[in-house]
Amino acid sequence: MAPASPRFAFVVTFFVLAAATAAAQSRPLVVGSSATYPPFAYETPAKQIVGFDVDVIQAVASKVGITVRLVNTPFTGVFASLDNGDLDLVISGVTISDRRRQSYDFTAPYFEARQLIAVPVASTVRNLQDLAGKKVGVVTGSTADEVASRTFGRTSANIRRFDTTPLIIAELVSGGLDAAIGDNGVIAYRAQEHKGLKTVNDPGFPKEYFGIVVKKGNTALRDRLDSGLKAIVADGTYARIYRTWFKTEPPLPTP
Amino acid sequence: MEPEPILWFGWFRADIIAEYAPLFWQGLRMTIGVTVIGITFGALLGLLVGMARLANARHAPARHLTRFLLRWPATVYVSFFRGTPLFVQIMLMHFAVVPLLMNPADGLIVSGELARTLRQDYGALLSGVLALTLNAGAYISEVFRAGIQSIDRGQVEAARSLGLSYRRTMYHVVLPQAFRRMLPPLGNNAIALLKDSSLVSAVGLSELAYAARTVAGAYSRYWEPYLTIAMMYWILTLALAYAVRRLEHRYGRGDTR
Amino acid sequence: MAAAIRVDALTKQFGTLPVLRGVSCEVQPSEVVCVIGPSGSGKSTLLRCLNGLEEATSGRVTALSVPVHDPATDLDALRAEIGMVFQRFNLFPHRTVLQNLILAPVAVRGLAPAEARERAEALLDKVGVLDKRDAWPNQLSGGQQQRVAIARALAMQPKVMLFDEPTSSLDPEMVGEVLAVMQALADEGMTMVVVTHEMGFARRVADRVLFLDEGLLVEEGAPDELFDCPREARTRRFLSKVL
Ligand SMILES: Nc1ncnc2c1ncn2[C@@H]1O[C@H](COP(=O)(O)OP(=O)(O)OP(=O)(O)O)[C@@H](O)[C@H]1O
Ligand SMILES: [Mg+2]
């Protein structure tokens, strides 16, 4: 149980935050997203950021009456930018994990994700274990990086880390990797762009959920976003967005 | 299972660095290796290109040949590699040029399983070293050119009037004197190369910056990994600067200027 | 006997600036020829055309029976036979005195280092700077440097020596020691072309004096003739200024 003084601090913080949120009402909230991650978020040739994440946050925002401004932020920098206040929230295919929960607050899940393996069509790989001793590409700091680090060892030379999913796919295509691991939405989308690649679904991967991230303690904003998410699920907006980007019916998000 | 956090000075998570120590040590070795190779081959390349840019011939056919086959290509090369960001050169090299030449499917020079093995085991090293060497060569060629041009014409005339050929004059008279003057700028180039080698982590080469990115990606903590490699880079640049000063001292004899 | 050097209607232009405008002359073996004339008259340029340091615009130069400006000529081989001494010494500052003398004989003539060294020491002794053999050039006085430079040229055992104002950048008290070395060389029968402002030396040592003005060979003759009763007005005007 928390001692008295932190609780007092918490209460004060709460009021300060509530006041700040009220004062910031007119200011658009800055939303960070790494726009190299189709179909979740990517840039059109006209420099517009579009994608599933973008549609979701905009639908949520209009439901709860806030305005948002999207900023394209490299994935490796989103958390730091959230910490130092450059960003108010992040929607960028971020997997909710216990480790991240220690440092940030998440909304309820808005997407059910799973890791997916991409390999050359000729590959005999059937699951994650088959990749032992092979060169595996992941995006630095991603869930796939965590999984690979856990499975093959954090400092293993067989894990090759790159900045973005397109780079690991490019490396896979040019023969530098035996496999690439990433979130199912993105990997499937990228793999179908290349004839020589196929995807391998390992049912052993745990289900994961994407959530919207706010700074630790910004519960006011988080609660608001949660109510918005509930509302767009209830009125069918969410299902419509999901169909637009994934061409299938959504599994119901579990709060 | 989480390891027990070890805190230094109340905020520095030393356990994170310890956990990834092999990556940092390997990174240190790789950074040093890449820098040494880049400087060595960059200096050789820079010497050749610097001389190509100064090449000239007395009589008609050779005169045009030197211009079209030596001076112009050398000038274009130097201009491109000094005029574009190193990061762009590295990405171009690794994801465009090298795959074109070396690719399991249809590499122009190497293809099939050999290409795959090479790319998997040495791909990032190869393109990283290539890009760094070409970049350093461009800068160093300018150092050589300036160094050679700074040598009094009288030196060349004295040597030539003794019957020394152009090559011998360069080798015995001009380059040794130019080298001494080039040492400080060469040292600066070496230090720049050491620091710029951090950009190669973008193609997955496991050097110091790669270790820091990996840790930052896993823990979303930036102080510990980046401060660690900052200290390592700092020590390396200090050592390099010291070595250059020693060389200058050693080769400084007899120069009046 | 063939002339050591023969110059036929030599012209030289730098861009549009005519520097030599048709010079013809000869130097016989063992002859000492001094070239005098006002500053900018083309003396250095003429001298540098003799060993091909400078291209000719037109005309012919033949040195030791070799056409200097013929593209087929091996200039390096020719230059090995023609020593040159410069106004500003041009010693190699990164090499000791001895190393300055040894470089060319070893690199060009293929002499064994020990032999080159022996020969170098004998030459340094002859020009009076043997005690400086291990010094660096910047540790020597101007007069010593120029004597080393002469020894360096002699180390190649040249058949002809060219001097371009060898004493002009020396302090007055050092001029004598250099001229003495040159005089000794002349007495041994070395073929020499000397561009100089030292009229006393020219009178004493030269077999013939050439007077150059504005790129033209105005007058030539034995020193006594040319200095005592010059035929041309321009020569008289020049001599009245310098004597
Ligand atoms: N490389 C060059 N490029 C252009 N002009 C030159 C070059 N060398 C010499 N000149 C010019 O040619 C002219 C003759 O020069 P030269 O050195 O032959 O004269 P000089 O008789 O030796 O004079 P001084 O007694 O001053 O040494 C001068 O006007 C000089 O400026
Ligand atoms: Mg002159």
Side-chain angles (χ1 to χ4, degrees):
Chain A
M1 199 63 224
S5 63
R7 184 183 297 167
F8 173 71
F10 177 74
V11 171
V12 170
T13 313
F14 180 82
F15 280 111
V16 169
L17 277 173
T21 316
Q25 210 64 190
S26 53
R27 177 175 74 87
L29 294 178
V30 185
V31 178
S33 193
S34 172
T36 54
Y37 208 52
F40 291 95
Y42 62 98
E43 264 187 353
T44 62
K47 303 296 294 171
Q48 243 196 317
I49 304 173
V50 298
F52 177 76
D53 282 356
V54 176
D55 288 356
V56 167
I57 193 63
Q58 257 149 10
V60 168
S62 73
K63 265 283 179 299
V64 298
I66 54 178
T67 49
V68 292
R69 186 163 67 80
L70 272 153
V71 176
N72 186 359
T73 312
F75 192 79
T76 42
V78 288
F79 291 106
S81 302
L82 202 57
D83 287 337
N84 66 25
D86 289 348
L87 299 175
D88 295 303
L89 61 136
V90 169
I91 181 164
S92 193
V94 181
T95 303
I96 304 169
S97 71
D98 286 344
R99 172 174 285 174
R100 284 176 178 155
R101 266 210 181 103
Q102 289 171 13
S103 319
Y104 305 94
D105 279 343
F106 283 86
T107 61
Y110 69 91
F111 182 79
E112 184 188 302
R114 188 181 297 136
Q115 296 301 299
L116 193 61
I117 304 170
V119 288
V121 269
S123 172
T124 57
V125 167
R126 324 223 103 253
N127 53 41
L128 182 64
Q129 296 314 319
D130 288 350
L131 290 177
K134 295 197 150 67
K135 309 286 184 289
V136 178
V138 297
V139 171
T140 311
S142 65
T143 306
D145 188 354
E146 249 178 70
V147 171
S149 295
R150 202 164 47 232
T151 315
F152 307 118
R154 297 171 173 279
T155 59
S156 162
N158 286 333
I159 303 175
R160 303 285 165 86
R161 298 178 178 89
F162 292 83
D163 262 0
T164 62
T165 308
L167 291 184
I168 56 177
I169 295 293
E171 188 69 12
L172 179 61
V173 169
S174 60
L177 298 171
D178 294 306
I181 310 178
D183 296 330
N184 53 349
V186 190
I187 289 291
Y189 180 89
R190 289 285 171 188
Q192 51 94 24
E193 287 181 337
H194 295 275
K195 273 205 298 291
L197 299 184
K198 65 176 183 188
T199 57
V200 173
N201 188 4
D202 179 349
F205 282 126
K207 279 184 185 169
E208 289 157 6
Y209 299 97
F210 289 176
I212 305 172
V213 200
V214 301
K215 203 167 175 167
K216 188 92 192 155
N218 195 354
T219 46
L221 177 57
R222 189 203 55 198
D223 293 348
R224 241 173 132 155
L225 294 171
D226 270 336
S227 72
L229 275 173
K230 271 208 186 83
I232 63 167
V233 171
D235 73 358
T237 314
Y238 177 85
R240 189 171 47 71
I241 296 171
Y242 196 98
R243 279 193 299 272
T244 309
W245 293 104
F246 300 107
K247 315 286 187 231
T248 58
E249 288 301 316
L252 276 184
T254 30
Chain B
M1 196 184 65
E2 292 293 312
E4 202 47 31
I6 301 168
L7 280 184
W8 283 358
F9 314 113
W11 63 273
F12 190 94
R13 286 275 304 272
D15 60 304
I16 299 182
I17 304 302
E19 193 182 346
Y20 282 90
L23 217 49
F24 282 96
W25 285 125
Q26 196 209 327
L28 182 65
R29 280 210 308 277
M30 186 60 85
T31 292
I32 293 173
V34 165
T35 305
V36 168
I37 298 175
I39 292 170
T40 310
F41 288 99
L44 283 174
L45 185 64
L47 173 63
L48 293 179
V49 173
M51 303 226 303
R53 291 197 76 186
L54 293 171
N56 209 344
R58 268 163 196 275
H59 299 289
R63 213 183 161 80
H64 300 305
L65 283 182
T66 53
R67 181 188 301 164
F68 290 122
L69 296 181
L70 290 175
R71 286 214 305 274
W72 285 8
T75 306
V76 170
Y77 157 71
V78 171
S79 166
F80 178 81
F81 279 91
R82 281 171 28 116
T84 55
L86 177 56
F87 182 72
V88 174
Q89 294 162 18
I90 291 170
M91 296 303 265
L92 252 183
M93 191 59 78
H94 187 70
F95 289 110
V97 177
V98 172
L100 180 71
L101 305 177
M102 190 178 91
N103 186 313
D106 51 3
L108 290 181
I109 298 178
V110 190
S111 61
E113 272 316 296
L114 178 61
R116 188 181 300 280
T117 313
L118 276 178
R119 175 103 180 161
Q120 290 195 353
D121 294 345
Y122 305 105
L125 180 65
L126 182 74
S127 18
V129 161
L130 262 176
L132 286 176
T133 300
L134 288 172
N135 184 271
Y139 281 93
I140 292 176
S141 78
E142 288 294 278
V143 173
F144 273 99
R145 189 164 76 121
I148 290 169
Q149 281 179 327
S150 79
I151 301 302
D152 184 22
R153 272 188 50 179
Q155 290 290 309
V156 175
E157 291 180 350
R160 299 305 303 268
S161 74
L162 285 165
L164 268 72
S165 62
Y166 174 80
R167 271 213 239 171
R168 290 201 165 115
T169 300
M170 277 290 154
Y171 181 76
H172 290 293
V173 175
V174 176
L175 290 180
Q177 293 183 60
F179 180 64
R180 182 174 308 175
R181 283 180 213 180
M182 288 171 338
L183 265 176
L186 277 181
N188 289 341
N189 269 291
I191 287 171
L193 185 70
L194 171 66
K195 293 187 292 184
D196 290 347
S197 69
S198 62
L199 293 173
V200 178
S201 62
V203 297
L205 186 69
S206 164
E207 38 69 81
L208 278 177
Y210 181 87
R213 288 152 74 111
T214 301
V215 174
Y219 281 90
S220 299
R221 288 187 74 104
Y222 297 87
W223 271 108
E224 288 84 357
Y226 284 106
L227 195 59
T228 303
I229 66 164
M231 288 302 141
M232 290 166 120
Y233 278 117
W234 195 15
I235 291 168
L236 288 178
T237 54
L238 285 176
L240 204 50
Y242 175 75
V244 172
R245 268 206 310 283
R246 287 293 302 268
L247 273 180
E248 269 177 69
H249 190 72
R250 171 134 175 251
Y251 288 103
R253 313 160 308 183
D255 197 342
T256 47
R257 282 167 278 249
Chain C
M1 196 184 218
I5 291 171
R6 203 185 138 87
V7 179
D8 282 318
L10 176 66
T11 72
K12 173 70 187 176
Q13 262 174 258
F14 286 113
T16 57
L17 176 76
V19 175
L20 296 176
R21 301 188 292 166
V23 174
S24 302
C25 60
E26 277 189 9
V27 178
Q28 301 304 325
S30 293
E31 198 181 16
V32 176
V33 172
C34 283
V35 182
I36 63 172
S39 180
S41 56
K43 305 182 296 293
S44 296
T45 305
L46 172 62
L47 202 68
R48 294 156 56 81
C49 281
L50 300 186
N51 67 352
L53 278 185
E54 212 72 79
E55 292 275 308
T57 304
S58 74
R60 286 167 53 91
V61 177
T62 312
L64 304 170
S65 307
V66 177
V68 175
H69 297 110
D70 186 333
T73 293
D74 180 356
L75 264 183
D76 296 333
L78 176 64
R79 287 188 187 123
E81 311 295 329
I82 303 178
M84 189 164 197
V85 175
F86 302 85
Q87 183 175 341
R88 289 182 47 246
F89 328 135
N90 296 345
L91 292 181
F92 306 134
H94 61 301
R95 302 181 141 247
T96 63
V97 166
L98 207 55
Q99 289 167 347
N100 262 271
L101 266 68
I102 288 171
L103 171 61
V106 172
V108 179
R109 294 256 197 254
L111 226 60
E115 197 184 341
R117 191 187 167 90
E118 228 166 82
R119 194 193 282 179
E121 285 178 346
L123 282 167
L124 287 175
D125 193 23
K126 182 168 155 186
V127 300
V129 285
L130 184 56
D131 54 327
K132 298 287 184 194
R133 75 187 139 195
D134 294 319
W136 299 96
N138 65 359
Q139 296 169 326
L140 305 183
S141 74
Q144 289 168 331
Q145 287 191 54
Q146 194 61 301
R147 283 183 282 153
V148 171
I150 294 171
R152 179 176 69 179
L154 292 175
M156 289 298 282
Q157 302 185 317
K159 300 196 174 73
V160 176
M161 286 285 286
L162 309 176
F163 295 83
D164 191 357
E165 302 195 32
T167 58
S168 292
S169 50
L170 294 179
D171 292 338
E173 72 268 22
M174 295 174 185
V175 170
E177 62 194 46
V178 171
L179 292 181
V181 167
M182 291 169 63
Q183 173 143 25
L185 204 56
D187 291 345
E188 288 171 16
M190 175 62 78
T191 310
M192 295 164 58
V193 181
V194 185
V195 173
T196 187
H197 289 296
E198 296 291 331
M199 297 305 156
F201 175 83
R203 188 190 280 268
R204 234 178 22 252
V205 181
D207 297 308
R208 209 144 42 87
V209 177
L210 312 186
F211 173 65
L212 216 60
D213 192 18
E214 296 184 347
L216 288 172
L217 180 53
V218 174
E219 187 172 350
E220 64 174 302
D224 292 342
E225 273 173 48
L226 191 126
F227 286 121
D228 294 337
C229 37
R231 292 188 304 272
E232 300 290 330
R234 280 201 266 176
T235 318
R236 275 197 292 275
R237 221 178 309 128
F238 171 72
L239 288 174
S240 71
K241 277 188 217 144
V242 297
L243 286 181

